[in-house]
Amino acid sequence: MSCGTESDNAAIWGILHANPHKRHIVTTRVEHPAVYNLGKYLALNGYHVTELGVDSSGMLNLQELTDAIREDTAIVSIMYANNETGVIFPVEEIGHIVKEKGSILHTDAVQAVGKIPLNLSKSTIDLLTLSGHKLHAPKGVGALFIRKGITFTPFIIGGHQEKNRRGGTENVPSIIGLGKACELAKKYMSEEQTRVKQLRDKAEDEILKKAPDTRVNGHKTKRLPNTTNLSFEFVEGEAILLLLNEKGICASSGSACTSGSLEPSHVLRAMGVPFTAVHGSIRLSLSRYNTIEDVDYVIEHLPPIIRRLREISPYSKETKVKEQAGKISARV
Amino acid sequence: MWDYSEKVKDHFFHPRNVGEIENPDAVGEVGSLACGDALKLMLKLDKSGRIADAKFKTFGCGSAIASASALTEMVKGKTLDEAGTLTDNDIAQYLDGLPEQKMHCSVMGREALEAAIANYRGMKIEKPVDEGKIVCKCFGVTDNKIIHEVREHKLTTIDQVTNYCKAGGGCRSSPANPGYYRDGMAKEKEKAEVGKTGTR
Ligand SMILES: Cc1ncc(COP(=O)(O)O)c(C=O)c1O
């Protein structure tokens, strides 16, 4: 596959086309656009799509899932770990529910592969998406795992490559790169759980201590070891990123202004994070290549940036209370 | 990330006139936390009625802060009448241009200025653009506001309307789903264009 997005599309279309009489799919409101926007597209093009909501910690209600799966549910597509918050869904448990109800489970595991142990030989997952650049492989390569016995119609129709599952000459160098990256990820897996997690926790704890009116978005423990999503009240995410960039610190934001669309993160909105906190959200992701010096550097430079922006901001704790009482211009 | 001009970067990294004025002669406040940007502008006049000092506080992205900073520099030394003629394009030009998608930042600057001037003159902020039918619920944009921006800037596409007043910027996030409000906006724009030819 050329990337995670292709893999997600291939999985969902591949199952839909193989089961043309089934017109329903179940997914969530917090998927990556590769699945989220595909779901929107399908809903406009004759399919029934159920989007499961999440609670304020970003977790699903499994009873809601059980109730959502119907006889004509072709596929359930639920991500393994969220790309904005790092929240991990109980995918094996979800797989049992999906099996019991007689449907097929696809999981977008782009963020999970290489960071938490996965064992597909003992798993309820039918299809799994991964992407190279999230585990230090070259950019522009992905993979789709399809369990033996799953009927699948190729998304890219052509020659008989990949056991007739994807036409087109394989990108051999990238495939080798991905293979090597997986090998290394397995070797260093325990480091993600220990050292990387400690670095993340330290960064998070210290920033929370030094920058008041800050919150962590997403479940505190059911979360990838390398991700933290922080909301700083009264300031805006793009402004934070620009100032971080000046210091050579790379982060991303769920703020509307960074993305080109004017809508802030659909993931944080689905969690019911107030608009005020969504606008000032940033995500920091670490990897095994980060050091304690990197983390100390961020701890040193991020809180003053927040302070500086708050000095420019007309808002403070008091104005926020007024604002919320007086105005509901937010769309749910 | 956005491709900002050197001037925008300068005004963002080194904003001029941040803060509040004690006993200001005029205050203009626009935007809200929920919308993602807001600006509070304060002016002090000298005896001859010229703007002696201008200060601002902004909640918003890089170009929102830069636009506010630029605005305070631009109005100093002007009478309120002179300042009142400044347009959002003037602010954008002063900054050597803004990315098209960020034009609403300079619009916010002009609106804060209008609000401050109205405040000084003791007028109820006369903003017909805020009256009318809400077309875009995400950002609370009315049909009058859209018509105003279309006429003022001779906008020809829906994307431009979004860039100038945010309308439609929320629900069009999915390329597959152009969304109801965009359709509503297309109609409003048509109306506005009809109105434009009508007044010529
Ligand atoms: C959860 C998730 N799914 C899908 C993708 C898309 O992968 P790609 O960029 O390789 O298309 C990404 C990342 O970009 C992701 O984080």
Side-chain angles (χ1 to χ4, degrees):
Chain A
M1 300 277 166
S2 63
C3 58
T5 305
E6 186 199 325
S7 171
D8 282 330
N9 273 263
I12 293 172
W13 281 117
I15 295 300
L16 289 176
H17 284 147
N19 302 276
H21 53 290
K22 295 189 173 181
R23 307 289 291 178
H24 179 234
I25 82 166
V26 176
T27 180
T28 79
R29 284 173 62 192
V30 296
E31 298 297 313
H32 183 275
V35 172
Y36 188 74
N37 282 342
L38 176 57
K40 296 265 183 259
Y41 176 86
L42 291 170
L44 284 175
N45 287 278
Y47 289 89
H48 301 284
V49 179
T50 304
E51 280 182 3
L52 304 172
V54 294
D55 65 17
S56 59
S57 66
M59 298 304 290
L60 292 168
N61 176 342
L62 293 188
Q63 187 56 46
E64 207 179 301
L65 166 70
T66 312
D67 297 343
I69 303 172
R70 321 191 304 211
E71 222 155 76
D72 66 336
T73 304
I75 183 165
V76 175
S77 181
I78 294 181
M79 70 201 314
Y80 209 112
N82 190 277
N83 49 298
E84 292 189 28
T85 58
V87 166
I88 298 171
F89 286 147
V91 175
E92 288 306 329
E93 218 178 310
I94 289 169
H96 283 295
I97 296 171
V98 174
K99 286 285 102 59
E100 229 162 76
K101 296 281 233 164
S103 193
I104 290 172
L105 175 64
H106 165 247
T107 188
D108 175 340
V110 166
Q111 290 290 335
V113 170
K115 295 179 195 132
I116 50 177
L118 297 172
N119 184 351
L120 285 172
S121 64
K122 287 183 267 163
S123 169
T124 55
I125 297 166
D126 297 308
L127 301 101
L128 178 141
T129 287
L130 64 95
S131 176
H133 66 282
K134 297 289 151 69
L135 56 144
H136 310 296
K139 286 187 190 201
V141 60
L144 176 62
F145 161 87
I146 308 172
R147 187 168 297 286
K148 237 187 208 127
I150 297 288
T151 316
F152 176 87
T153 303
F155 179 56
I156 294 184
I157 295 174
H160 47 75
Q161 290 92 345
E162 316 244 8
K163 300 187 180 142
N164 290 319
R165 287 187 184 129
R166 181 185 187 267
T169 301
E170 299 88 343
N171 182 346
V172 176
S174 290
I175 292 172
I176 291 170
L178 179 57
K180 185 70 189 175
C182 288
E183 190 187 312
L184 291 172
K186 190 172 176 197
K187 186 168 157 199
Y188 294 112
M189 178 68 73
S190 62
E191 207 184 313
E192 294 278 344
Q193 301 297 326
T194 52
R195 196 180 67 84
V196 175
K197 182 171 184 301
Q198 280 162 12
L199 291 180
R200 191 272 313 267
D201 290 345
K202 176 171 184 198
E204 197 171 274
D205 292 345
E206 294 287 319
I207 291 166
L208 286 175
K209 242 186 270 165
K210 290 185 165 187
D213 297 317
T214 301
R215 55 184 277 171
V216 177
N217 297 311
H219 200 283
K220 275 300 267 264
T221 53
K222 290 174 185 151
R223 197 160 51 130
L224 293 175
N226 74 317
T227 307
T228 176
N229 187 309
L230 300 166
S231 278
F232 301 95
E233 295 271 5
F234 322 123
V235 296
E236 196 279 331
E238 189 213 64
I240 305 174
L241 295 194
L242 288 168
L243 291 171
L244 283 174
N245 188 49
E246 273 293 288
K247 300 278 176 205
I249 300 169
C250 209
S252 64
S253 171
S255 119
C257 285
T258 38
S259 60
S261 95
L262 285 159
E263 181 164 58
S265 157
H266 69 283
V267 175
L268 300 184
R269 291 296 302 136
M271 290 161 63
V273 176
F275 259 97
T276 57
V278 176
H279 289 301
S281 72
I282 66 161
R283 182 196 66 182
L284 295 169
S285 318
L286 288 85
S287 82
R288 63 173 187 269
Y289 295 109
N290 284 116
T291 63
I292 186 81
E293 286 78 25
D294 295 340
V295 167
D296 287 340
Y297 184 81
V298 173
I299 293 169
E300 182 190 339
H301 286 101
L302 178 55
I305 285 173
I306 303 303
R307 260 198 308 281
R308 174 172 162 190
L309 288 172
R310 281 181 181 162
E311 273 162 24
I312 304 179
S313 171
Y315 294 117
S316 62
K317 241 189 194 130
E318 297 79 56
T319 51
K320 189 188 146 197
V321 175
K322 258 199 313 202
E323 176 97 10
Q324 282 178 342
K327 186 152 204 160
I328 313 163
S329 56
R331 182 180 59 100
V332 183
Chain B
M1 203 96 76
W2 299 99
D3 201 5
Y4 288 131
S5 72
E6 287 307 314
K7 204 79 179 263
V8 172
K9 285 187 208 161
D10 179 38
H11 276 268
F12 168 68
F13 287 117
H14 313 285
R16 330 289 202 264
N17 312 309
V18 176
E20 309 213 7
I21 296 176
E22 249 179 71
N23 303 320
D25 293 314
V27 182
E29 275 185 272
V30 291
S32 80
L33 262 174
C35 290
D37 47 19
L39 169 57
K40 182 175 186 182
L41 177 69
M42 295 181 147
L43 304 176
K44 188 89 193 165
L45 304 184
D46 64 15
K47 286 200 195 76
S48 61
R50 292 191 177 272
I51 297 171
D53 198 10
K55 289 216 183 303
F56 79 94
K57 286 210 157 188
T58 292
F59 161 73
C61 57
S63 51
I65 291 172
S67 296
S69 167
L71 174 68
T72 53
E73 288 286 278
M74 292 169 78
V75 297
K76 277 194 200 172
K78 287 191 164 62
T79 64
L80 289 185
D81 278 343
E82 288 163 1
T85 63
L86 286 180
T87 65
D88 26 283
N89 275 339
D90 292 334
I91 299 174
Q93 266 168 25
Y94 182 89
L95 290 167
D96 294 338
L98 282 173
E100 175 90 335
Q101 292 90 335
K102 296 283 192 167
M103 283 306 289
H104 61 87
C105 295
S106 60
V107 171
M108 183 169 74
R110 187 204 68 214
E111 288 178 348
L113 181 60
E114 282 170 3
I117 293 172
N119 170 255
Y120 176 77
R121 295 180 172 156
M123 299 189 299
K124 181 181 159 331
I125 299 181
E126 181 205 327
K127 271 210 292 183
V129 294
D130 280 349
E131 279 155 28
K133 201 173 95 234
I134 299 266
V135 179
C136 166
K137 283 192 187 164
C138 304
F139 295 106
V141 185
T142 62
D143 49 358
N144 286 340
K145 166 97 176 159
I146 291 169
I147 290 167
H148 174 82
E149 295 303 331
V150 168
R151 287 191 183 151
E152 172 104 10
H153 299 284
K154 305 191 171 55
L155 306 182
T156 56
T157 68
I158 292 179
D159 282 337
Q160 284 180 324
V161 173
T162 303
N163 294 337
Y164 277 79
C165 66
K166 292 187 159 190
C171 352
R172 64 114 181 241
S173 63
S174 156
N177 180 9
Y180 162 78
Y181 298 109
R182 301 256 292 170
D183 295 346
M185 267 172 32
K187 282 198 211 99
E188 297 307 331
K189 202 168 78 68
E190 250 167 53
K191 257 202 264 170
E193 273 168 356
V194 171
K196 204 163 59 182
T197 41
T199 52
R200 253 185 216 148

